[in-house]
Amino acid sequence: MAAAAESGARAWLGGGSPGPGSPASSPDLGRGGRARPEPEPGAGPGSGPERASARSLGPAALGHTFRKVMLTKPTFCHLCSDFIWGLAGFLCDVCNFMSHEKCLRQVKTPCTSLAPSLVRVPVAHCFGPRGLYKRKFCAVCRRSLEAPALRCEVCELHVHPDCVPFACSDCRQCHQDGHRDHDTHHHHWREGNLPSSARCEVCRKACGSSEVLAGLRCEWCGVQAHTVCSLALAPECTFGRLRTLMLPPACVRLLSRNFSKTHCFRISERACPEPDDGDDGEDGGGPAGAGREVPTPESNKQTLKIFDGSDAVHRNRFRVVSVPRLARSEEVLEAALRAYYITEDPRGFELQALPWPLQAGDPRAGGKAGGGRTSEEEGGRGPRSREVSPEAWIIRTLPRTQDVLKIYPAWLKVGVAYVSIRVTPESTARTVVLEVLPLLGRQAEGPESFQLEEVFMGSRQVQRTVLADEESLLSRLRDIRQTSLRQMSQTRFYVAESKAVAPRVSLFVGGLPPGLSPQEYGSLLDEAVATKAGLVTLSHVYSAQGAVVLDVACFAEAERLYMLVRDTAVHGRLLTALVLPDVLHTKLPPDCCPLLVFVNPKSGGLKGRDLLCSFRKLLNPHQVFELTNGGPLPALHVFAQIPHFRVLVCGGDGTVGWVLAALEEMRQQLACPEPAVAILPLGTGNDLGRVLRWGPGYSGEDPLSVLVSVDEADAVLVDRWTILLDAHEAGGAENGVADLEPPKIVQMSNYCGIGIDAELSLDFHQAREEEPSKFTSRFHNKGVYVRVGLQKMSHARSLHKEIRLQVEQQEVELPSIEGLIFINIPSWGSGADLWGSDSDSRFEKPRMDDGLLEVVGVTGVMHMGQVQGGLRSGIRIAQGAYFRVTLLKATPVQVDGEPWVQAPGHMIISAVGPKVHMLRKAKQKPKKAGTPKDARADEVPTPEGGLK
């Protein structure tokens, strides 16, 4: 067998990964900006003879087949994004790349047909639900996304649903997955979909476009550049402005052998696309697919359904091509290959007529046409009319006596990207390894230490298969092509060390009964899901929260437990299962203080969902957690060993209190016991966020600017208060609303209300629980508050007769009031100053960290409205550090916006535990005259690390 080593340092292995048309592949630079050799055009794994490219006017190494076309509407160049003047442009027949004639020689963006072979490290995507993305373009076909499309939840990949099967598995690599560490972290370029105001990092000219897919952006550091200008940038990525907040991928380990990226990043399954969207094993239709109506062709053209293999026939997944009725068979075949982004020599393929309808799963085909072997005589025509020709065709590969196969060196430190060898019927996986090792300079090592791996780089799942030593490579390639030509183009072969990776998967299991011992939890799980003692151990037990972390020493067992736990209920409560990564805290850079982000998607309408996606893209998705999926505990467990980190809570005051309470419970287990907490307010009141200058609520600010503000924020102290609720009797409840309750403890940061304000909060809370879909905006929520308040105008409760108040062991006589409020911060009821600004010699000036609470009374709804309007303040009653309230009858109570009806008994409020560290947004500095609007993000001053 002939073998040829493809020379050139630094293959597309490790670091960032280019996408379809992504110029990460196009620059292909080594250090110092010198070009690396490009793979030959159209040479996928096991590629056949080179395609004769008579029409290839651009750089052949990029796989494009440009042809001159007449323009009938305004068109822009995909390289420089300028308007194409005149009537002619140059279009790639395969990927729709449009170019000026003058720009052809500068094209560095590979064709979609070649992009899979240029991916460094295959990483699957996590596609969210379909949505409308205006002014965005598909990364596969480069056309605009006019209909509902898909986007990756982790990177900036946008695709049509029908283009998903052809998207590269080139998502960001956010963790180690049992492979060798990277020496350096490279830019992860993504082409296009930049804002129109984007500026090139090199030439400082506009590089964004809303007309075409043009320009580049690194998905880690955010640097933007023209495709050509990117060649002048160093390949190493420093994570840019957010480097101190970023959890570096090299510091995260997660063995995800049997888990999809959706599971690894804890993306809820409701965000997954519909089954109709196609998956790794399916060929999504083109303009038409399974269950879609075939478009009516023009009078001089005919429409054909094209299948690329037996699997597509089985699934009824096809693509549609439109060809002239008098087209030659060779032209029909070329159109069919282009529809599947295949640029290999058409002489190696044929079209077979498919009987229609054909039984699903039957790979049998009818007559043949195309590929130089037609059922008609040489020079004959292809299908001429829909009446006499079948409407469905399948592409088949002609038998081959030998093939050319690319072998990649996986994680071996060698100086070549891959080697190409010729395989024959005698070639097996073992003989291929023996032939490849000398070409890689590893002949001194025993071949028994290496194995041949087949990797299918599907857009949703990367599947690895270790080939048996005696497996015939030529037969393997033939079987793959019979199954799917697309799958062949997305299959890669690696020679890798045969070291077994020790399986270890961490599974978080929540929703268990609290207060049990480790032995009891073990027995409970064994009874519920039949855990295997030899493979599963309890590494951590959080008894107070009713949660455990399991270490599973078998990938199959971990997958079984994960799927089973999520469908299991214990004591009537459904369990929660999460796959958790390991943070290698000893590898963190000295100035790194990662930001742990909590997002409550139920807050702020749909804004919480959008922020969740934005933060996953700006940071490492392993540091972004959805609170409705397991609460704060899983995130704190992951960050437990990090010596310094900060927290960002995206939600309302209740969400902030939830996270602060979890931090207090976990204090003893955290290497950073007092992380500073910032707030992105998404609720209705957002009083703590107002006090800390984060604003009255999120109104669509750029998420990047939010993270920069967090990095520049100042650390302040805020008191935390403990409230002991001890109900003594059940009598006196109105209509049986309140029953006898066991003593419980709640934490408070903002305020505690008893009486009329708690009653309004309770009515609002009940209305939202009944129809949550209507409470999607703060304006509507405040309108509901007003309506509920008007209904209470005539209500009189005489609260001062129903409660007793002691301050510092002293009985305090209450005036005639309807509501009693204990306030810790100078903001109540969406920003009102309840205490007032007037000086009073009886009391000290209130502060958030003075260890004192202010007690204020309100006389009713009218008084509350006047306070919120700034016309009055509350009735100052007391100030102290210890309070005892006696409820004589069931009374509404609310703490930080969470209301309930409290049974008669005692409430004890005291400052227990250390103060919490919060982050207060720094005051905005006035802009200097002449500062350009497009000032570089990395010119913003950054702290030296840690808290400011």
Side-chain angles (χ1 to χ4, degrees), residues 760-826:
L760 294 181
S761 295
L762 184 61
D763 289 348
F764 172 83
H765 178 74
Q766 292 173 344
R768 183 168 57 182
E769 289 294 314
E770 292 175 359
E771 297 181 286
S773 59
K774 294 185 177 180
F775 292 77
T776 58
S777 70
R778 289 191 297 274
F779 182 79
H780 175 268
N781 294 352
K782 290 182 179 180
V784 175
Y785 263 118
V786 172
R787 185 174 70 248
V788 171
L790 293 176
Q791 295 172 352
K792 302 289 183 180
M793 288 286 289
S794 59
H795 176 76
R797 191 181 184 97
S798 301
L799 183 69
H800 59 287
K801 298 180 181 178
E802 300 172 359
I803 65 174
R804 300 287 183 267
L805 173 64
Q806 291 182 2
V807 181
E808 309 288 358
Q809 309 298 331
Q810 299 293 323
E811 189 80 22
V812 175
E813 184 177 352
L814 297 176
S816 178
I817 56 175
E818 297 297 326
L820 187 68
I821 305 168
F822 300 82
I823 54 177
N824 184 47
I825 60 175

Side-chain angles (χ1 to χ4, degrees), residues 823-841:
I823 54 177
N824 184 47
I825 60 175
S827 178
W828 168 85
S830 301
D833 186 2
L834 189 59
W835 182 260
S837 57
D838 297 340
S839 60
D840 192 330
S841 58

Side-chain angles (χ1 to χ4, degrees), residues 151 153 609-619 703:
R151 71 174 179 182
E153 297 280 305
R609 172 80 181 91
D610 293 337
L611 280 172
L612 194 65
C613 187
S614 297
F615 287 136
R616 284 194 184 116
K617 291 181 171 66
L618 289 169
L619 300 169

Side-chain angles (χ1 to χ4, degrees), residues 11-333:
W12 287 106
L13 300 173
S17 312
S22 162
S25 50
S26 61
D28 201 9
L29 296 179
R31 301 178 188 271
R34 291 180 295 177
R36 289 184 287 233
E38 298 278 353
E40 60 269 15
S47 64
E50 294 293 331
R51 179 177 182 177
S53 184
R55 295 178 299 161
S56 183
L57 304 178
L62 298 174
H64 293 292
T65 54
F66 286 107
R67 62 184 174 89
K68 193 173 184 178
V69 295
M70 302 304 294
L71 304 178
T72 59
K73 60 182 180 180
T75 308
F76 294 81
C77 176
H78 291 197
L79 179 70
C80 65
S81 71
D82 289 339
F83 185 76
I84 300 179
W85 297 96
L87 299 177
F90 289 84
L91 176 71
C92 175
D93 278 335
V94 179
C95 70
N96 301 313
F97 191 102
M98 177 66 74
S99 173
H100 291 105
E101 183 175 9
K102 65 179 181 179
C103 293
L104 278 179
R105 298 301 174 187
Q106 300 180 20
V107 172
K108 301 297 180 183
T109 302
C111 181
T112 301
S113 62
L114 189 64
S117 66
L118 300 176
V119 175
R120 282 179 171 171
V121 179
V123 179
H125 292 284
C126 299
F127 291 108
R130 295 191 186 192
L132 288 174
Y133 304 106
K134 298 180 180 178
R135 296 302 219 183
K136 299 292 185 182
F137 298 88
C138 176
V140 175
C141 69
R142 308 185 70 87
R143 294 191 174 99
S144 63
L145 302 178
E146 298 176 352
L150 301 175
R151 71 174 179 182
C152 179
E153 297 280 305
V154 179
C155 70
E156 286 295 332
L157 184 79
H158 292 76
V159 290
H160 293 107
D162 297 323
C163 291
V164 169
F166 302 94
C168 284
S169 55
D170 67 334
C171 194
R172 291 190 298 163
Q173 186 181 19
C174 299
H175 58 263
Q176 298 180 32
D177 197 357
H179 303 300
R180 176 181 61 82
D181 296 350
H182 296 301
D183 296 327
T184 57
H185 196 85
H186 289 241
H187 289 296
H188 189 110
W189 296 112
R190 180 70 70 203
E191 184 187 12
N193 294 323
L194 305 180
S196 300
S197 59
R199 296 283 174 174
C200 177
E201 183 74 10
V202 178
C203 67
R204 304 307 301 160
K205 296 180 180 179
C207 63
S209 174
S210 59
E211 304 293 339
V212 291
L213 194 70
L216 300 177
R217 178 182 180 275
C218 174
E219 297 189 323
W220 285 110
C221 66
V223 65
Q224 301 167 141
H226 293 102
T227 304
V228 177
C229 292
S230 66
L231 300 175
L233 296 174
E236 292 81 8
C237 179
T238 61
F239 298 111
R241 177 61 185 85
L242 302 178
R243 60 186 175 273
T244 58
L245 303 179
M246 188 79 67
L247 185 61
C251 300
V252 184
R253 180 177 58 200
L254 176 59
L255 303 181
S256 56
R257 190 67 53 84
N258 291 32
F259 294 99
S260 69
K261 290 296 180 290
T262 302
H263 298 154
C264 296
F265 297 138
R266 305 165 305 278
I267 297 176
S268 59
E269 293 192 352
R270 63 176 178 273
C272 294
E274 300 88 345
D276 183 51
D277 292 337
D279 54 31
D280 289 334
E282 299 179 0
D283 280 330
R292 300 177 179 85
E293 182 180 353
V294 178
T296 303
E298 301 175 15
S299 58
N300 63 336
K301 292 188 176 182
Q302 60 179 332
T303 299
L304 303 175
K305 298 178 181 179
I306 305 296
F307 296 84
D308 79 323
S310 304
D311 186 68
V313 175
H314 176 76
R315 298 176 183 271
N316 193 24
R317 297 282 176 176
F318 55 85
R319 292 183 71 82
V320 173
V321 298
S322 181
V323 296
R325 292 188 180 274
L326 299 180
R328 298 175 62 88
S329 298
E330 292 85 349
E331 295 172 340
V332 176
L333 177 58

Side-chain angles (χ1 to χ4, degrees), residues 346-575:
R347 290 173 295 181
F349 301 89
E350 65 180 359
L351 278 178
Q352 296 179 350
L354 190 66
W356 195 263
L358 184 68
Q359 293 296 324
D362 186 356
R364 293 175 301 174
K368 303 178 181 179
R373 300 188 180 186
T374 67
S375 57
E376 308 170 16
E377 53 185 298
E378 185 66 24
R381 303 294 179 177
R384 293 172 181 265
S385 65
R386 303 188 68 177
E387 290 77 11
V388 299
S389 64
E391 61 176 4
W393 297 76
I394 184 170
I395 311 173
R396 289 298 191 190
T397 305
L398 294 175
R400 300 183 181 183
T401 57
Q402 62 181 11
D403 218 330
V404 177
L405 188 65
K406 289 180 181 178
I407 305 295
Y408 291 77
W411 300 96
L412 306 178
K413 291 185 178 181
V414 295
V416 296
Y418 56 84
V419 296
S420 295
I421 66 171
R422 195 170 301 278
V423 295
T424 65
E426 292 75 28
S427 300
T428 64
R430 175 50 53 189
T431 62
V432 167
V433 171
L434 291 172
E435 184 175 356
V436 167
L437 287 179
L439 301 176
L440 298 177
R442 307 298 287 264
Q443 61 272 22
E445 304 180 43
E448 64 278 356
S449 302
F450 297 89
Q451 61 191 16
L452 193 64
E453 293 184 358
E454 176 191 305
V455 178
F456 172 54
M457 306 184 298
S459 60
R460 300 178 191 271
Q461 187 77 36
V462 175
Q463 301 173 356
R464 302 177 183 271
T465 304
V466 178
L467 300 182
D469 288 346
E470 301 305 319
E471 180 148 13
S472 171
L473 265 297
L474 201 60
S475 298
R476 184 72 177 181
L477 296 178
R478 183 187 64 246
D479 292 343
I480 296 175
R481 288 193 176 98
Q482 285 288 108
T483 301
S484 169
L485 292 178
R486 171 185 61 83
Q487 181 175 337
M488 184 69 251
S489 67
Q490 294 179 331
T491 299
R492 182 179 290 179
F493 292 88
Y494 288 90
V495 59
E497 294 179 286
S498 54
K499 296 179 179 178
V501 178
R504 182 180 177 274
V505 181
S506 293
L507 284 183
F508 174 89
V509 179
L512 297 167
L516 303 183
S517 66
Q519 294 76 17
E520 291 173 319
Y521 282 123
S523 301
L524 187 62
L525 287 173
D526 184 55
E527 179 182 350
V529 294
T531 57
K532 298 181 180 179
L535 301 175
V536 182
T537 58
L538 270 68
S539 62
H540 294 79
V541 175
Y542 299 101
S543 180
Q545 296 86 357
V548 299
V549 177
L550 305 178
D551 272 356
V552 187
C554 173
F555 292 120
E557 176 66 7
E559 182 184 29
R560 185 190 73 84
L561 287 178
Y562 177 81
M563 297 299 180
L564 192 57
V565 165
R566 295 187 308 165
D567 296 329
T568 301
V570 174
H571 297 176
R573 184 180 179 185
L574 200 63
L575 300 182

